[in-house]
Amino acid sequence: MRDYLDGPHKAARDVVRAGLAANAELFEFAVRQPRDEYRETVLEMLQTITAQGHPARGFPKEYGGEGDLGGYIAGFETLAFGDLSLMVKAGVQFGLFAGAILHLGTERHHEAYLADAIGGRLLGCFAMTETGHGSNVQALGTTATYDAATGEFVINTPSAAARKDYIGNAARHGRMAAVFAQLVVGGETHGVHCLLVPIRDEDGTALPGVTLSDCGPKLGLNGVDNGRIVFDNVRVPRAALLDRYAQVDADGNYHSEIENPDRRFFTMLGTLVQGRVSVGGAAITASKVALEIAVRYAAQRRQFGAPGSNEETLLLDYRMHQRRLLPLLARTYALHFAQGELVDEFVRVFGDGSSEHDRRALEAQAAGTKALGTWHATETIQMCREACGGAGYLAENRLATLKADTDVFTTFEGDNTVLLQLVAKGLLTDYRESFGKLDPLGTARFIAAQAVEIAVEKAALRPLIDRLRDVVPNRNDPSDPDAGLRDDAYHSGLLRFREQHMLSGVARRLKAGIDAGDEAFDVFNRCQDHVIAAGRAHVDRVVLEAFQAAVQGAPEEIQEVLKDVYDLHALSTIEAERAWYLEHGRLSPARSKAITALVNELCGVVRPVAVELVEAFGVPGAAVEVPMVVPSQHE
Amino acid sequence: MRDYLDGPHKAARDVVRAGLAANAELFEFAVRQPRDEYRETVLEMLQTITAQGHPARGFPKEYGGEGDLGGYIAGFETLAFGDLSLMVKAGVQFGLFAGAILHLGTERHHEAYLADAIGGRLLGCFAMTETGHGSNVQALGTTATYDAATGEFVINTPSAAARKDYIGNAARHGRMAAVFAQLVVGGETHGVHCLLVPIRDEDGTALPGVTLSDCGPKLGLNGVDNGRIVFDNVRVPRAALLDRYAQVDADGNYHSEIENPDRRFFTMLGTLVQGRVSVGGAAITASKVALEIAVRYAAQRRQFGAPGSNEETLLLDYRMHQRRLLPLLARTYALHFAQGELVDEFVRVFGDGSSEHDRRALEAQAAGTKALGTWHATETIQMCREACGGAGYLAENRLATLKADTDVFTTFEGDNTVLLQLVAKGLLTDYRESFGKLDPLGTARFIAAQAVEIAVEKAALRPLIDRLRDVVPNRNDPSDPDAGLRDDAYHSGLLRFREQHMLSGVARRLKAGIDAGDEAFDVFNRCQDHVIAAGRAHVDRVVLEAFQAAVQGAPEEIQEVLKDVYDLHALSTIEAERAWYLEHGRLSPARSKAITALVNELCGVVRPVAVELVEAFGVPGAAVEVPMVVPSQHE
């Protein structure tokens, strides 16, 4: 099972695993070291993994890399078995800072900086978010004004709200920042662009005009030195502009191949999708660690039990305990396979000159997987903590650190609620609008105008209903409410029906509101919860079908157990939304109850292999060898 | 509104508020101080509130107290606006340690120790939980064996699993421990009893035979010195036994007025119900702090918005943001009033010589409110953190600390899933079995035997169904799915129906299983999720009706707004369980959708008063004046 889960990038994963396994004290730093010391330790660990070649794997060969994007992402995911501050700092340095140079810069930037950035010799920041703007990046306040007289850009923070905030590497270690700012050339604003701005000298002192400060302690990730940057008319040469998508010549003429400013902005942002892919993967990885700890504990911890029996009962033999942990275990498998599909698609899209449509679709897939993966981590780690009681609250047992460190994953690289709106919008517009722009007016009008093309409920849903009938001909026969409940086609039929019904429902509501002459913002806002639920329904379906494909493609010896886990995932997903299916006539009350009963039954089926299932994640021993789990009692 | 929320114990609350308001640096310690220093600071703060008379309020006048139990609990709840390590340490010292002496001891213990314990001069531990046993306290391993030759008890830790664990005050400050141990007299074991055992001398050195260690860093509450205690045949005089419910004479004769050992044990435990009452209250208080911070932030933070508009839109004007925060705000109001009812009942039961049935019912009410209140805190603080994005992750904005500190509330003073089982069991047996004992065999058999008495579904539910019909005569008229949706009687009718249906369903399943000859443990375990859901359904109904009573009793000028908040709570509670109502024919699909639409509408109704509603909690300014909420922009 573990080989199958590791997939095509097993080698890259094993390199990182070996590094973690050799480093048991890694898991002490977050808890034992004072913050300043911990930050220095994380920096040292960053240099160590750099020396081991981790980051280089993902970069072009001409700058010292190996050009293996898939292996790089898989390695990054694996890094999340270890200290998460290290993982995040590596993400800032290699994924974001070096990634911005690679994707937004041109050859001269690559030549000048890439090898040093990849080699950890030039530490950098990704200075996008501001105090006043996180989600709405297009409205950033920092300016980069071209001064044709000197051939320089002037970087400035015009207001307190335009201060760069939460920037990793800024409080302490970063020497240069990739700064996102409104580009002003000849008095005209061309929207947000990225420039490389030195912020510290070799000694670590802030450069003139740059004010650096510390965000202070955080709930977790205290090994990352998040800070704030304020620019007071800092001058950088014209070459500081990362000019792959837009150039400014010496005379101050702005030029971009992409004329539409929205499209240009979102094209630039789109190249940074790797961050979302990586965070989603890291969240799934962290869930695996928590589940291995909690499942192992439940498989050896006894409490209460049948009177008269010599032994108390194992926690994992209680129905409620199974209910709390095993559907989350199944969903972790589902997300693992969905993430694998996402990485494959990411490698494909970045590998060849794929179409813009493919790129937008990839961005949506990454956004959706990131949202579900990170919310899953929050929910799973919380449940694991509670399932381990007081022991789960002690730092020595790691769940506390996992919980604190991963909590912000639902926020960074895009707030999850915003991301699910992007997913829904992409589906509604077939990625034809500037993707990533959350413009209610434009979206609502566009959809209203396209209403003829959009799936109108009855026409689009009829084939899905017919398909469900084909799978379960006797759906309404109360004598057999279980018929077809373990049929893949039935599951995807239900999830597809829900997705299509919700999307067409949103489209109809938007059109009706616009047609009635209501304000576009109000129309969109009235449906916002519906839009987000539709986005989620889509991602649920994509994740389900990724798991179906994984079961079908699995080696025969593990196919049966994987199908059990899949069924548990599929049915608990449907169970969680059964109110909707009941409201929309897709489940009868008897069938809805039968699904709940079957979820319980499947928990019992999966229980005997639960420990094997968490072992198959291949979490390095040091990450899960915690005091509350007695090693000698491992099955 | 604030006066109404403060209720009868306003004076006690205001004393504590004044102490917190004067102490703004209080909120820095948890974040800025190293652990050892923080623990000393919390000890100093404990001495300060002791000097201010906080703990004395709840104790008898003859030992320096004021005998105002209700005011004491209200003050303790208010303390949770401040540093939660201080609140927990106060709970350990006064509620648990001094409480054990008061309730389990007799006059000589009161004379010898109570004034010093209340005065903070004798710091103590409540040494119940062991590494191997938390929920199942009856199975503790520590022994207290009477040695008639010397007239002493010998306290011993016979195995690693019997080590006392997670004990507050044990790692550093406690000089004496109230130790729960199996009492062995003349070779016979009489079950768990409590004894006072000195553990440290005046200098803080562990006494001979006592091994003390530190639980190390925790996710939160690091100002509390939780530790471990191992006893190696430590001798204490016979008078060390807290002998209110059982005595051992010098010759080694054991005597108790309560002959049944289970009943004796649960009677002793029952006197300690104050801990659960207090933790539930503290959790609700912590939710108020988080909500005030998040609602204020959402009422001033702008992001995105209608294109062409000069200003971006306030977060709190987004449908999804309202959906995330306002039902939780409404539920906080509901729990506040339910907690008020619980405290009134607690004062009544402990004030007069109430019946054993009343005491058992109070314990169930405390267990249920604690479970819902603490899960509510976990969910609410998590949602508030996410709703404040990256700013919510910074310690300076307090949500991080609140989250870390409150997380263990769902575990300590009784794991929530265990508590909800107790609630259901009490209802099923009408508190006639030894309350608190989770004995599947006994419970299942008892219920099977009593089946004639137990509400048989049809008979018991018919009046409820009729009542629902009376409220909403046209429930099945699709032309008016909104009829009666804001009617109190309709809400409580639905919740009562659910509670009764689930309880009778559990009873039937248990009886059927036993009648079929299945193992009692298996029968009970198969229904465990059903049992817990039934317990929760009961508490949901109690909370709802407490809110109804509070609206009815409110001064006229706030009644209307309180009714809006109540409706939001009632309908979002029903919405969350609408799958169940659809499955059981109590909601039609059209009506179910109408409820969702009305919840959205009510969010819009509550939104304009949301800031006033959080202000009415009376959170001291210092607790919510965080950098991300700009004071000048407070409405």
Side-chain angles (χ1 to χ4, degrees):
Chain A
M1 181 72 88
R2 175 169 158 185
D3 284 347
Y4 187 59
L5 291 184
D6 273 356
H9 307 296
K10 183 173 176 49
R13 293 181 200 271
D14 281 342
V15 170
V16 178
R17 273 195 192 109
L20 295 172
N23 207 350
E25 79 275 17
L26 192 69
F27 303 103
E28 290 284 301
F29 299 136
V31 176
R32 303 285 169 184
Q33 290 191 333
R35 197 159 57 98
D36 286 348
E37 233 173 274
Y38 180 29
R39 288 171 167 189
E40 295 309 311
T41 303
V42 169
L43 178 60
E44 285 164 31
M45 294 193 289
L46 185 81
Q47 305 293 5
T48 305
I49 60 166
T50 303
Q52 288 165 351
H54 162 67
R57 192 182 280 272
F59 287 87
K61 293 186 177 162
E62 51 270 46
Y63 305 107
E66 296 177 35
D68 173 14
L69 212 45
Y72 173 67
I73 303 270
F76 191 85
E77 277 175 32
T78 310
L79 206 54
F81 284 136
D83 181 284
L84 290 168
S85 285
L86 170 60
M87 189 277 294
V88 168
K89 196 163 174 109
V92 168
Q93 173 66 23
F94 307 116
L96 296 175
F97 174 63
I101 297 172
L102 176 66
H103 294 297
L104 301 179
T106 48
E107 201 178 339
R108 61 179 161 180
H109 305 107
H110 301 167
E111 290 290 342
Y113 304 115
L114 213 45
D116 282 347
I118 301 166
R121 293 177 295 277
L122 173 64
L123 296 175
C125 305
F126 184 80
M128 178 184 276
T129 297
E130 298 177 353
T131 308
H133 286 97
S135 292
N136 188 4
V137 174
Q138 267 190 300
L140 291 178
T142 303
T143 51
T145 308
Y146 187 64
D147 179 354
T150 62
E152 291 170 317
F153 286 104
V154 183
I155 314 295
N156 195 46
T157 305
S159 69
R163 173 183 73 175
K164 294 294 175 186
D165 210 343
Y166 320 110
I167 309 300
N169 264 344
R172 204 151 171 148
H173 299 133
R175 293 208 347 256
M176 179 177 271
V179 177
F180 288 79
Q182 302 289 350
L183 193 74
V184 183
V185 184
E188 194 182 341
T189 302
H190 294 278
V192 171
H193 291 64
C194 185
L195 302 94
L196 293 178
V197 184
I199 56 170
R200 275 192 181 85
D201 65 18
E202 295 283 334
D203 302 330
T205 310
L207 291 171
V210 177
T211 307
L212 301 169
S213 57
D214 197 318
C215 289
K218 294 162 295 192
L219 176 58
L221 298 179
N222 280 304
V224 184
D225 54 325
N226 293 83
R228 292 158 177 159
I229 315 177
V230 173
F231 297 102
D232 180 12
N233 293 305
V234 172
R235 287 178 171 264
V236 291
R238 188 167 58 94
L241 178 68
L242 295 176
D243 59 352
R244 176 162 166 196
Y245 293 102
Q247 304 80 36
V248 175
D249 69 17
D251 300 334
N253 299 304
Y254 177 88
H255 173 260
S256 171
E257 280 180 15
I258 309 174
E259 287 193 17
N260 180 312
D262 285 338
R263 218 182 119 226
R264 186 193 311 136
F265 174 71
F266 288 106
T267 301
M268 291 189 205
L269 276 200
T271 61
L272 307 171
V273 66
Q274 185 179 318
R276 282 183 190 156
V277 174
S278 301
V279 168
I284 298 164
T285 301
S287 309
K288 294 174 185 173
V289 178
L291 279 167
E292 175 152 3
I293 292 171
V295 168
R296 280 189 180 287
Y297 181 73
Q300 52 177 249
R301 169 81 174 180
R302 296 174 183 277
Q303 202 76 183
F304 295 114
S309 155
N310 283 333
E311 272 192 318
E312 293 176 281
T313 301
L314 289 170
L315 295 190
L316 200 50
D317 286 327
Y318 284 101
R319 157 73 43 92
M320 195 65 200
H321 217 80
Q322 294 174 4
R323 261 279 178 181
R324 298 181 96 190
L325 293 179
L326 299 184
L328 293 172
L329 174 59
R331 202 203 287 159
T332 304
Y333 267 74
L335 286 164
H336 173 93
F337 293 118
Q339 173 74 10
E341 282 194 353
L342 172 63
V343 172
D344 289 348
E345 180 64 8
F346 173 72
V347 171
R348 189 187 72 77
V349 166
F350 274 71
D352 62 20
S354 59
S355 70
E356 187 171 339
H357 183 278
D358 281 3
R359 288 179 175 256
R360 299 297 88 81
L362 170 69
E363 289 163 33
Q365 192 181 350
T369 309
K370 186 271 182 186
L372 260 64
T374 55
W375 267 328
H376 174 70
T378 299
E379 180 184 354
T380 300
I381 299 168
Q382 178 68 34
M383 192 61 89
C384 290
R385 203 298 291 157
E386 292 184 31
C388 294
Y393 196 62
L394 302 186
E396 64 180 26
N397 291 318
R398 284 212 73 205
L399 296 171
T401 316
L402 277 171
K403 189 163 131 69
D405 284 349
T406 57
D407 188 58
V408 77
F409 289 11
T410 55
T411 297
F412 69 20
E413 294 287 335
D415 176 90
N416 284 357
T417 54
V418 174
L419 294 182
L420 287 182
Q421 288 179 75
L422 289 183
V423 170
K425 185 182 162 261
L427 293 165
L428 287 166
T429 59
D430 194 24
Y431 311 104
R432 277 173 296 191
E433 281 257 294
S434 301
F435 188 74
K437 182 165 180 156
L438 272 188
D439 167 357
L441 185 69
T443 304
R445 286 213 181 121
F446 180 87
I447 290 163
Q450 306 275 332
V452 189
E453 286 182 49
I454 287 170
V456 177
E457 185 165 340
K458 281 190 183 160
L461 294 175
R462 179 55 54 200
L464 284 169
I465 294 172
D466 290 345
R467 191 168 137 190
L468 282 169
R469 290 240 167 86
D470 290 345
V471 177
V472 192
N474 56 346
R475 195 181 60 85
N476 291 317
D477 173 5
S479 68
D480 187 8
D482 285 347
L485 279 187
R486 297 189 66 172
D487 188 323
D488 282 14
Y490 179 65
H491 306 149
S492 53
L494 281 180
L495 267 69
R496 280 181 178 268
F497 177 84
R498 178 158 192 260
E499 174 188 358
Q500 289 303 322
H501 193 289
M502 293 192 104
L503 284 168
S504 57
V506 166
R508 268 185 297 114
R509 285 176 71 186
L510 291 176
K511 179 170 162 50
I514 296 290
D515 288 353
D518 294 349
E519 283 290 326
F521 177 79
D522 295 336
V523 173
F524 193 84
N525 197 29
R526 278 202 301 265
C527 309
Q528 196 191 19
D529 54 328
H530 195 168
V531 169
I532 289 170
R536 174 149 198 153
H538 167 74
V539 189
D540 276 342
R541 194 265 302 166
V542 169
V543 169
L544 181 98
E545 294 185 350
F547 202 166
Q548 289 184 347
V551 175
Q552 282 150 24
E556 210 183 315
E557 63 272 22
I558 60 168
Q559 207 160 27
E560 197 177 331
V561 63
L562 210 52
K563 172 72 164 98
D564 290 338
V565 179
Y566 161 79
D567 282 345
L568 178 55
H569 169 70
L571 290 164
S572 53
T573 301
I574 294 166
E575 187 194 27
E577 300 297 346
R578 70 195 195 282
W580 190 92
Y581 290 110
L582 285 155
E583 284 173 351
H584 293 81
R586 297 331 307 162
L587 284 182
S588 66
R591 201 160 173 80
S592 180
K593 290 179 192 172
I595 286 173
T596 294
L598 188 48
V599 169
N600 280 340
E601 194 184 317
L602 285 166
C603 282
V605 169
V606 168
R607 188 269 173 256
V609 291
V611 171
E612 289 163 53
L613 287 169
V614 295
E615 281 178 348
F617 292 142
V619 186
V624 286
E625 279 158 15
V626 294
M628 73 172 168
V629 180
V630 183
S632 63
Q633 290 187 351
H634 283 185
E635 312 273 292
Chain B
M1 180 72 86
R2 175 169 157 184
D3 284 348
Y4 187 59
L5 292 183
D6 272 355
H9 307 295
K10 182 174 176 49
R13 293 181 200 271
D14 280 343
V15 169
V16 178
R17 273 196 191 108
L20 294 173
N23 206 350
E25 80 276 15
L26 192 68
F27 303 102
E28 290 285 302
F29 299 136
V31 175
R32 303 284 169 184
Q33 289 190 332
R35 199 158 58 96
D36 287 347
E37 231 173 275
Y38 179 29
R39 288 170 166 189
E40 295 309 311
T41 303
V42 169
L43 179 60
E44 285 165 30
M45 293 193 290
L46 184 82
Q47 305 294 6
T48 304
I49 61 166
T50 304
Q52 288 165 351
H54 161 68
R57 190 182 281 272
F59 287 88
K61 291 186 179 160
E62 50 271 48
Y63 304 107
E66 297 177 32
D68 173 13
L69 211 46
Y72 174 68
I73 303 269
F76 191 86
E77 276 175 33
T78 311
L79 206 54
F81 284 137
D83 180 284
L84 290 168
S85 286
L86 170 60
M87 188 277 292
V88 169
K89 198 167 174 105
V92 168
Q93 172 66 24
F94 307 115
L96 296 176
F97 174 64
I101 297 173
L102 176 67
H103 294 296
L104 302 180
T106 49
E107 200 178 342
R108 60 178 160 181
H109 304 108
H110 300 166
E111 291 289 342
Y113 304 115
L114 214 44
D116 282 348
I118 300 167
R121 294 177 295 277
L122 173 64
L123 296 176
C125 305
F126 183 79
M128 178 183 276
T129 297
E130 297 177 353
T131 307
H133 286 99
S135 293
N136 190 4
V137 174
Q138 268 190 300
L140 291 177
T142 303
T143 52
T145 308
Y146 186 64
D147 179 351
T150 61
E152 292 170 317
F153 286 103
V154 182
I155 314 296
N156 195 45
T157 305
S159 69
R163 173 183 72 174
K164 295 293 177 186
D165 211 343
Y166 320 110
I167 310 299
N169 263 345
R172 204 152 173 148
H173 299 132
R175 290 208 312 148
M176 179 176 273
V179 176
F180 289 80
Q182 303 289 349
L183 194 75
V184 184
V185 184
E188 194 182 343
T189 302
H190 295 277
V192 171
H193 291 63
C194 185
L195 303 93
L196 292 177
V197 184
I199 56 170
R200 275 194 181 84
D201 65 17
E202 295 282 337
D203 303 329
T205 310
L207 291 170
V210 178
T211 306
L212 301 168
S213 57
D214 197 317
C215 288
K218 295 163 297 195
L219 176 58
L221 298 177
N222 280 303
V224 183
D225 55 325
N226 293 84
R228 293 156 177 162
I229 315 178
V230 174
F231 298 101
D232 179 11
N233 293 306
V234 173
R235 289 178 168 265
V236 292
R238 187 168 59 93
L241 178 67
L242 294 176
D243 59 353
R244 174 160 166 195
Y245 293 103
Q247 304 80 35
V248 176
D249 71 17
D251 300 332
N253 298 304
Y254 177 88
H255 174 259
S256 172
E257 281 180 15
I258 309 174
E259 287 193 18
N260 180 312
D262 284 339
R263 216 181 120 227
R264 185 193 312 135
F265 173 72
F266 288 107
T267 301
M268 291 189 206
L269 275 200
T271 61
L272 306 172
V273 66
Q274 185 179 319
R276 282 182 191 158
V277 174
S278 300
V279 168
I284 298 164
T285 301
S287 308
K288 293 174 185 174
V289 178
L291 279 168
E292 174 152 3
I293 292 171
V295 168
R296 280 189 181 287
Y297 181 73
Q300 51 178 251
R301 169 80 174 181
R302 296 174 183 276
Q303 202 78 178
F304 294 115
S309 153
N310 283 335
E311 273 192 318
E312 291 176 282
T313 301
L314 289 170
L315 295 190
L316 200 50
D317 286 326
Y318 284 101
R319 158 73 43 93
M320 196 64 200
H321 216 80
Q322 294 173 5
R323 262 276 178 184
R324 300 182 94 189
L325 293 180
L326 300 183
L328 293 172
L329 173 58
R331 202 204 286 159
T332 304
Y333 266 75
L335 286 164
H336 173 94
F337 292 118
Q339 173 74 10
E341 280 194 355
L342 172 64
V343 172
D344 289 349
E345 181 63 8
F346 174 73
V347 171
R348 188 187 73 75
V349 166
F350 274 71
D352 63 21
S354 58
S355 71
E356 187 171 340
H357 183 278
D358 282 4
R359 287 177 176 260
R360 299 297 88 81
L362 170 69
E363 288 163 34
Q365 192 182 349
T369 310
K370 187 270 182 186
L372 261 62
T374 55
W375 267 328
H376 173 70
T378 299
E379 180 184 354
T380 299
I381 299 168
Q382 178 67 33
M383 192 61 89
C384 290
R385 203 299 290 156
E386 290 184 33
C388 294
Y393 196 62
L394 302 185
E396 64 179 25
N397 291 318
R398 285 212 73 206
L399 296 171
T401 317
L402 278 172
K403 191 163 132 67
D405 284 348
T406 58
D407 188 56
V408 79
F409 288 12
T410 56
T411 296
F412 68 19
E413 294 287 337
D415 176 272
N416 284 357
T417 55
V418 175
L419 293 182
L420 287 183
Q421 288 179 75
L422 290 183
V423 170
K425 185 182 160 262
L427 293 166
L428 287 166
T429 60
D430 194 24
Y431 311 104
R432 276 173 296 191
E433 283 257 292
S434 300
F435 187 73
K437 181 161 181 160
L438 271 189
D439 168 357
L441 185 68
T443 304
R445 285 211 182 122
F446 180 88
I447 290 164
Q450 305 277 331
V452 190
E453 287 182 48
I454 287 171
V456 176
E457 183 163 342
K458 279 193 184 157
L461 294 175
R462 177 56 54 201
L464 283 169
I465 294 172
D466 290 345
R467 189 168 140 193
L468 282 170
R469 289 240 169 84
D470 291 344
V471 177
V472 192
N474 57 345
R475 195 181 60 84
N476 292 316
D477 173 5
S479 68
D480 187 9
D482 285 347
L485 280 188
R486 298 189 66 172
D487 188 323
D488 282 13
Y490 179 65
H491 306 150
S492 53
L494 280 180
L495 267 70
R496 279 181 178 269
F497 177 83
R498 179 158 191 259
E499 175 187 357
Q500 290 304 322
H501 193 289
M502 293 193 104
L503 284 168
S504 58
V506 166
R508 268 185 298 115
R509 286 177 70 185
L510 291 175
K511 180 169 162 50
I514 296 291
D515 288 353
D518 293 350
E519 283 291 326
F521 177 80
D522 295 335
V523 172
F524 193 85
N525 197 28
R526 278 203 300 266
C527 312
Q528 195 190 19
D529 54 328
H530 195 167
V531 170
I532 290 170
R536 174 151 196 151
H538 167 74
V539 190
D540 276 340
R541 195 266 301 166
V542 170
V543 170
L544 181 98
E545 293 185 350
F547 202 166
Q548 289 184 346
V551 175
Q552 281 149 24
E556 210 183 317
E557 63 272 23
I558 60 167
Q559 207 160 27
E560 196 177 333
V561 63
L562 209 53
K563 172 72 164 101
D564 290 337
V565 178
Y566 161 79
D567 282 344
L568 178 55
H569 169 69
L571 291 164
S572 53
T573 301
I574 295 165
E575 186 194 28
E577 300 298 345
R578 70 195 196 284
W580 189 91
Y581 290 110
L582 284 156
E583 284 173 350
H584 293 82
R586 296 331 307 161
L587 284 181
S588 66
R591 201 160 173 81
S592 179
K593 290 180 191 171
I595 288 172
T596 294
L598 188 49
V599 169
N600 280 340
E601 192 182 316
L602 285 166
C603 283
V605 169
V606 169
R607 188 268 172 256
V609 292
V611 172
E612 288 163 52
L613 288 169
V614 294
E615 280 179 348
F617 292 142
V619 185
V624 285
E625 278 157 14
V626 294
M628 74 172 168
V629 180
V630 183
S632 63
Q633 290 188 352
H634 283 186
E635 313 269 297

